[in-house]
Amino acid sequence: NPTFRLTAPGGSYVLRRKPPGTLLKSAHAVDREFRVQKALADTDVPVAKMHVLCEDDEIIGSAFYVMEDVRGRNLDDPRLESVAFDMRGRIFDEMNRVLAAIHMVDIDAVGLSDYGAAGNYYRRQIDRWSKQYRASETEHIPQMEELMAWLDANAPEDDGRRSLVHGDYRIDNMLFAPDGPQCLAVLDWELSTIGHPFADLAAVIMQWRRPPGTDGRGLAGIDRRAQGLPSDEEFIEAYCRRTGVERIDRFGFYLAFCFFRMAGILQGVKKRALDGNASNPERGLMMGAYVPQFAAQGLEASKET
């Protein structure tokens, strides 16, 4: 969603709006972003203060909302090379704490019990993103076809876990204190819903499986201990301790699902770029080129226990 800073006599604010042009059904729901962040204002989940939601397309051409301008530190590379060595582990632990806090929110108490449909979250999400992928498909990608078929056949039964989920939880969607590990705000709630918490946890691990650098923003091949960073297993164990989960079986499924969903998201970005609706068409086409890679990594993850 295009995002702007507004400078006014009374201070600085941030505006998020839907992109222009024809959009896929249910995509870019800025009204949901506004609602969930407003609901989380008095919880342990750090979010920006919401000011106003405008659903009248006539004002600026699409729905939008205005929120607090949180002046924090955005860390878009999980290697954290720009951060002091002894601070890196603390930032990852804070990321873990906030993720657990999201999943521990009392959705009834904050008025979000109807924020997502009841029933099997993964079944619902697989069906939704398969339809979204078909609606934005631009070429035949064998790996994506195989991954969708595998997920369709291996979706787990509903285990009763139901919590708020962010949908795109990763370090570059967070703002941290300028000189410490404290998270000041979690951003980009577009994909949030009521669903299964392990999808958010797997999304973190998914990003770390990507190559390091500007495009992948991952940790593949990095000596994490030498960098002061936790392993996948250590991060998962810390999450389980915080949330009271004894163990997570079939983590490979949750990881494969996240690779599939991100491939679907990137395919939508590519389609908007080709249609001329993307805020940055060149970058949109570049991101769309990664769809086969995400699908292939999803297939690899499906082999894990």
Side-chain angles (χ1 to χ4, degrees):
N1 287 330
T3 308
F4 306 87
R5 173 172 286 125
L6 306 179
T7 303
S12 182
Y13 307 90
V14 171
L15 180 149
R16 257 171 88 80
R17 61 169 292 177
K18 287 188 176 186
T22 303
L23 305 174
L24 293 174
K25 183 181 179 181
S26 77
H28 307 283
V30 294
D31 56 325
R32 287 176 61 83
E33 280 196 350
F34 180 87
R35 178 187 173 188
V36 68
Q37 289 174 97
K38 190 174 181 64
L40 293 173
D42 296 321
T43 70
D44 290 334
V45 181
V47 289
K49 180 181 179 180
M50 298 294 105
H51 289 302
V52 64
L53 169 68
C54 177
E55 299 182 86
D56 185 350
D57 292 346
E58 298 300 317
I59 305 300
I60 66 169
S62 70
F64 69 92
Y65 67 91
V66 178
M67 62 181 170
E68 173 191 12
D69 181 7
V70 178
R71 294 302 178 97
R73 175 171 50 165
N74 184 235
L75 302 168
D76 62 358
D77 188 332
R79 290 177 293 183
L80 301 184
E81 293 180 329
S82 64
V83 177
F85 183 87
D86 62 353
M87 184 68 68
R88 296 172 188 173
R90 294 169 64 191
I91 287 175
F92 271 57
D93 190 61
E94 173 73 349
M95 185 181 180
N96 190 287
R97 181 196 69 79
V98 172
L99 181 60
I102 292 173
H103 297 159
M104 300 292 280
V105 166
D106 185 333
I107 57 176
D108 295 323
V110 300
L112 291 175
S113 56
D114 64 342
Y115 191 62
N120 191 316
Y121 171 75
Y122 293 105
R123 180 74 275 159
R124 190 168 73 246
Q125 287 281 299
I126 291 167
D127 292 345
R128 174 193 174 187
W129 284 105
S130 294
K131 290 177 182 176
Q132 295 279 55
Y133 176 77
R134 293 299 182 205
S136 58
E137 190 175 11
T138 55
E139 61 190 291
H140 179 76
I141 301 177
Q143 302 98 316
M144 194 63 172
E145 299 297 329
E146 186 178 349
L147 179 57
M148 286 194 294
W150 186 87
L151 288 168
D152 186 62
N154 287 275
E157 295 295 325
D158 189 355
D159 63 2
R161 297 183 190 276
R162 192 168 187 264
S163 72
L164 176 65
V165 292
H166 180 274
D168 195 15
Y169 192 78
R170 57 192 194 206
I171 201 166
D172 46 304
N173 277 336
M174 307 174 75
L175 291 175
F176 294 88
D179 55 358
Q182 179 188 10
C183 176
L184 303 181
V186 179
L187 308 174
D188 199 357
W189 291 83
E190 181 188 344
L191 299 178
S192 62
T193 187
I194 301 301
H196 198 283
F198 296 166
D200 273 348
L201 178 62
V204 176
I205 306 305
M206 177 198 72
Q207 183 185 3
W208 294 350
R209 296 284 179 93
R210 297 291 296 156
T214 305
D215 296 331
R217 292 184 291 187
L219 293 172
I222 298 297
D223 184 343
R224 295 198 210 171
R225 189 167 299 280
Q227 290 289 100
L229 305 173
S231 65
D232 290 352
E233 293 75 18
E234 288 169 336
F235 192 87
I236 293 170
E237 287 172 4
Y239 170 86
C240 288
R241 286 196 303 271
R242 283 190 163 106
T243 57
V245 174
E246 185 175 346
R247 56 173 293 173
I248 300 177
D249 295 320
R250 296 188 63 197
F251 193 77
F253 169 85
Y254 306 117
L255 195 53
F257 165 77
C258 288
F259 276 113
F260 154 74
R261 183 174 57 185
M262 185 54 69
I265 292 169
L266 294 178
Q267 184 61 41
V269 171
K270 179 179 181 179
K271 183 66 163 58
R272 288 197 304 277
L274 292 172
D275 290 346
N277 294 334
S279 56
N280 186 336
E282 184 178 349
R283 178 164 175 76
L285 292 175
M286 182 191 73
M287 293 174 67
Y290 290 119
V291 173
Q293 291 183 24
F294 274 86
Q297 285 195 267
L299 289 173
E300 284 299 311
S302 72
K303 301 172 186 176
E304 299 181 23
T305 57

